[in-house]
Amino acid sequence: MEQPKYKRVVLKLSGEAMAGNQGFGIEANTIHSIATQVKELIELNVEVAVVVGGGNIWRGISGSSQGIDRATADYMGMLATVMNSLALQDALETIEVPTRVQTSIEMQQIAEPYIRRRAIRHLEKGRVVIFASGTGNPFFSTDTTAALRAAEIEAEVILMAKNNVDGVYSADPKLDPDAQKYDQLTYMEVLNKNLGVMDSTASSLCMDNHIPLLVFSIMEEGNIKRAILGEKIGTLVKG
Ligand code: UDP
């Protein structure tokens, strides 16, 4: 059997990754493809926790630019992540991958509350744990959630799956033809060069807790497995 490089991972899916080419909302085929890729990890006995964003539905910052109170707009964003998490849960269970959704904001009719030790137990039993509603706090992001949960559950790496770019570049490759892709970076370089891999809160948390981050494209099928097997894809950011 192929040997995974990591035993326990946090997979960060941006909300946009759920929308596929339609750019907004939830696209069923795209989620099915993601679920199939996650299943490949479970088959390799990798413990997988997923943090899902919400930008395909609602972002707090855009709401607040329209005059909605920022904290309220952020709570709306956290609710968007719950919708995405339930869609992913459904897609995974359709292909017989056991899952649990845990929310940072209690909504017990639809998901478990976030309980760290219980999450770890689910992972040990081979269930995919989907962390929904971010950190539960406004003014944070789901990237910070991924960093926080990765530290809490002692994940070895955060796999940051992107649907619009295949790694970290010196400039936006869509706007600048001279943009260079990095194979490896430190968090200090990410922060100093303002590379926009993740927000500075998330980068600092990863740096302080020595959690590596692999940024790669999810648009190529099988890439999550390649990442797990340690193939050279994307950009690796380390402390
Ligand atoms: N959010 C929040 N606190 C958190 C996580 C998320 O307030 O801990 C809100 C915030 O408004 C954010 C939205 O949820 O804009 C969606 O999350 P994010 O923008 O991180 O999603 P992504 O960019 O990954 O799709």
Side-chain angles (χ1 to χ4, degrees):
M1 191 164 110
E2 293 153 307
Q3 275 310 312
K5 186 173 175 196
Y6 308 104
K7 178 83 186 90
R8 180 176 293 167
V9 302
V10 167
L11 174 66
K12 165 68 211 300
L13 296 169
S14 66
E16 279 172 10
M18 315 291 278
N21 290 330
Q22 87 191 12
F24 178 84
I26 296 170
E27 210 266 311
N29 288 335
T30 304
I31 300 198
H32 178 72
S33 152
I34 295 170
T36 308
Q37 295 194 57
V38 171
K39 186 174 186 177
E40 289 180 343
L41 307 192
I42 296 296
E43 286 167 350
L44 288 170
N45 292 329
V46 176
E47 296 176 12
V48 187
V50 187
V51 172
V52 191
N56 55 324
I57 299 170
W58 183 264
R59 262 183 225 287
I61 198 98
S62 357
S64 79
S65 69
Q66 296 171 53
I68 299 177
D69 169 70
R70 173 65 194 267
T72 303
D74 277 342
Y75 280 115
M76 292 165 70
M78 286 183 259
L79 292 177
T81 73
V82 178
M83 293 173 69
N84 284 334
S85 298
L86 293 179
L88 182 62
Q89 175 175 48
D90 182 77
L92 283 164
E93 299 220 322
T94 304
I95 54 170
E96 277 154 34
V97 178
T99 65
R100 293 290 186 274
V101 175
Q102 291 199 343
T103 56
S104 309
I105 298 170
E106 283 200 29
M107 40 186 94
Q108 292 199 34
Q109 282 76 6
I110 54 173
E112 290 179 7
Y114 171 63
I115 299 172
R116 174 178 164 269
R117 295 173 69 102
R118 191 184 258 192
I120 291 171
R121 194 79 194 104
H122 290 320
L123 293 171
E124 288 169 350
K125 286 184 173 170
R127 297 173 184 142
V128 173
V129 179
I130 305 170
F131 293 126
S133 74
T135 61
N137 301 290
F139 301 99
F140 286 91
S141 66
T142 51
D143 286 352
T144 301
T145 312
L148 176 64
R149 295 292 182 248
E152 288 185 89
I153 65 167
E154 297 178 24
E156 288 153 283
V157 69
I158 298 173
L159 303 176
M160 184 171 270
K162 296 276 189 187
N163 69 328
N164 48 6
V165 70
D166 63 350
V168 184
Y169 284 78
S170 54
D172 186 340
K174 289 195 187 82
L175 304 175
D176 183 347
D178 295 327
Q180 301 278 335
K181 185 173 149 194
Y182 296 103
D183 288 333
Q184 199 162 325
L185 281 164
T186 64
Y187 284 109
M188 206 40 103
E189 286 171 314
V190 167
L191 288 164
N192 287 340
K193 294 184 178 157
N194 205 7
L195 288 174
V197 180
M198 45 179 15
D199 56 84
S200 57
T201 313
S203 293
S204 308
L205 201 52
C206 286
M207 182 170 70
D208 292 350
N209 292 289
H210 312 289
I211 306 163
L213 171 82
L214 184 68
V215 183
F216 63 99
S217 166
I218 202 181
M219 294 311 271
E220 215 174 303
E221 285 238 0
N223 254 1
I224 307 183
K225 185 171 174 185
R226 283 187 199 102
I228 279 287
L229 293 175
E231 282 183 34
K232 283 215 173 318
I233 58 164
T235 302
L236 183 66
V237 188
K238 282 172 135 180

